[in-house]
Amino acid sequence: KIFQNGLKAAVDLLHGRKNVVVLCGAGISVSCGIPDFRSKGGIYDQIDIHDYGLCTPEEIFHLEVFQDNPRPFYKFAAKMLYPNRPHEPSPSHRFLALLEEKKMLLRVYTQNIDGLEEKAGLSPKRVVYAHGSLNTSSCLKCGGKSPAEDLRDEILLGNVPYCQKVTGRRKRRRGEEVPTGGDPNEKVPVRCGGVMKPNITFFGEPLVDRVRRCLESDQAKADAVIVIGTSLSVA
């Protein structure tokens, strides 16, 4: 009866709405096989702080720790970035896509970084990734971006991925190997070499500016707010 009453209340809330805002978090992705952070068996529970040289599990997502030594993050994150089987959207994700299909959705603000909202069919313009997304990475040195797939081989080999952007050219050094069929006088590309960081918001980083811009735009338009799978707090 409690479930039925809750379902009826949700239906009544949505009736006639045209600008629904949804706030969602890890709870909508757990059924997809993606662990949350703090539950038993969750991400923090899987991190052996002694093995990774950390004081707390949370440190693996601290910007200062990553800048000092990105190896612990990439050692742990390989399976998070590239799971053996791609995760599929849950019924909750499909519900969000249905709201857009019915022209009822204004925006989805998600704390999740898995990108399943768009995989379920949501338009990118309708989704705000409050904590970023694993789909791309950026160089900490030059800011250049790369799709996550371009870094797959290096990360799965246990290596830290470095930026391959060409920033200039130099003369070939004496004794430096020349590729087969190459010109020994041709200048060699100089690559940036900065550490690549996934475009997710680490502790110590501000939220992306799109969060602020969309909130300012949406707050006067929203005619209903739905909260799914989150307590709306970050510890």
Side-chain angles (χ1 to χ4, degrees):
K1 187 171 176 79
I2 293 175
F3 174 78
Q4 291 176 333
N5 290 339
L7 188 61
K8 181 179 185 303
V11 171
D12 291 342
L13 171 69
L14 293 175
H15 183 70
R17 307 294 182 175
K18 298 296 183 184
N19 288 295
V20 177
V21 168
V22 180
L23 312 177
C24 59
I28 72 169
S29 292
V30 170
S31 65
C32 307
I34 301 174
D36 63 12
F37 281 84
R38 298 188 177 279
S39 298
K40 185 174 176 57
I43 288 176
Y44 289 151
D45 207 28
Q46 297 174 26
I47 297 173
D48 184 333
I49 59 175
H50 303 294
D51 185 35
Y52 291 101
L54 304 170
C55 295
T56 66
E58 290 86 351
E59 278 191 350
I60 209 165
F61 293 105
H62 273 263
L63 182 61
E64 286 187 7
V65 174
F66 182 88
Q67 290 172 324
D68 182 59
N69 180 14
R71 293 188 182 282
F73 173 82
Y74 279 113
K75 181 180 178 182
F76 173 77
K79 58 186 177 183
M80 181 171 67
L81 290 164
Y82 308 108
N84 292 330
R85 288 190 304 173
H87 298 298
E88 295 299 326
S90 69
S92 296
H93 294 103
R94 306 288 185 194
F95 168 68
L96 303 180
L98 180 64
L99 287 178
E100 182 179 14
E101 181 185 325
K102 299 297 184 182
K103 303 189 184 305
M104 299 171 65
L105 183 69
L106 176 59
R107 201 89 61 192
V108 171
Y109 291 82
T110 179
Q111 296 174 320
N112 298 336
I113 58 177
D114 50 47
L116 290 179
E117 293 84 6
E118 288 185 52
K119 193 170 183 179
L122 278 167
S123 306
K125 67 180 181 180
R126 296 293 178 193
V127 184
V128 175
Y129 294 100
H131 296 161
S133 168
L134 290 171
N135 293 333
T136 61
S137 292
S138 293
C139 174
L140 292 179
K141 185 176 179 181
C142 73
K145 289 183 170 56
S146 292
E149 281 302 305
D150 289 358
L151 310 178
R152 171 191 282 267
D153 292 344
E154 277 295 292
I155 294 173
L156 291 181
L157 284 172
N159 300 325
V160 174
Y162 293 97
C163 180
Q164 299 302 306
K165 181 179 178 180
V166 176
T167 58
R169 292 187 174 272
R170 61 169 176 79
K171 291 183 179 179
R172 195 179 300 276
R173 300 185 182 97
R174 185 187 297 271
E176 190 170 353
E177 183 179 351
V178 179
T180 303
D183 181 355
N185 297 314
E186 184 180 11
K187 290 188 175 181
V188 177
V190 177
R191 303 193 184 276
C192 169
V195 173
M196 298 298 293
K197 171 188 168 295
N199 288 326
I200 59 176
T201 305
F202 277 47
F203 292 112
E205 284 189 293
L207 298 181
V208 294
D209 191 55
R210 186 165 185 257
V211 177
R212 177 190 58 79
R213 289 187 281 106
C214 287
L215 283 171
E216 290 177 352
S217 170
D218 295 347
Q219 62 180 342
K221 301 175 185 175
D223 54 16
V225 175
I226 300 174
V227 180
I228 311 175
T230 176
S231 64
L232 298 180
S233 65
V234 177

